[in-house]
Amino acid sequence: MDDTTRGVRIRRGGAADAPAVLHMLDSAVVWMNDRGNTEQWGTTPFSEKPERAAQVDRYLTENLPFIAEVDGTPAAALVLGSGPDPRAPIAPAEEPERYVRLLVSDRRFAGQKLGSALLAHAVEETRRAGVRLLRVDCWAGSGGELVAYYERQGFTPTETFLAGTWPGQVLAQRVD
């Protein structure tokens, strides 16, 4: 996808994008913490946690990563898998699916609807693969703000789950 009017381009990502994605995640942690949300992703930057950096590496090499660039700068990332992360307490669907494993944007680019553009791209990728189900899970705390965001993107809440004390919501979207 190219949106030359806004200088946005979505491209396939890869292992070389790990530093940029870690920076995006670090900026999101700072932003959430500044808003009083210390529970969603904690207070320690992803880049300072070896297990989180390894998770980003796995996501970028074992799945389908996409990077939204603004005027050539990586500004947001989405990772599609063929199901939920096996370490998550979420059952795979009973049919083929694509699963949004990660969606994050660099807070410097907030308000540019990059998440929406990447989710629309995920719908197209799911359709191209001949798959009819796209799912995502997210943090369900803080009054459900993130759940509401995904609903505005065309997803419908399905089941809730707990990962320890972390409240989560799975959402699904049918792709025709």
Side-chain angles (χ1 to χ4, degrees), residues 63-64 66 78-82 98-101 122 125-126 134:
N63 298 279
L64 295 171
F66 297 95
L78 177 137
V79 175
L80 278 179
S82 59
R98 290 295 179 265
Y99 204 97
V100 177
R101 296 264 185 104
E125 287 293 322
T126 301
L134 177 62

Side-chain angles (χ1 to χ4, degrees), residues 11 32 38 75 84 94 123 134 158:
R11 64 168 172 81
M32 285 187 273
T38 59
E94 294 182 5
V123 167
L134 177 62
T158 56

Side-chain angles (χ1 to χ4, degrees), residues 112-125:
Q112 295 192 29
K113 301 189 185 289
L114 299 175
S116 298
L118 282 165
L119 288 169
H121 188 77
V123 167
E124 289 304 314
E125 287 293 322

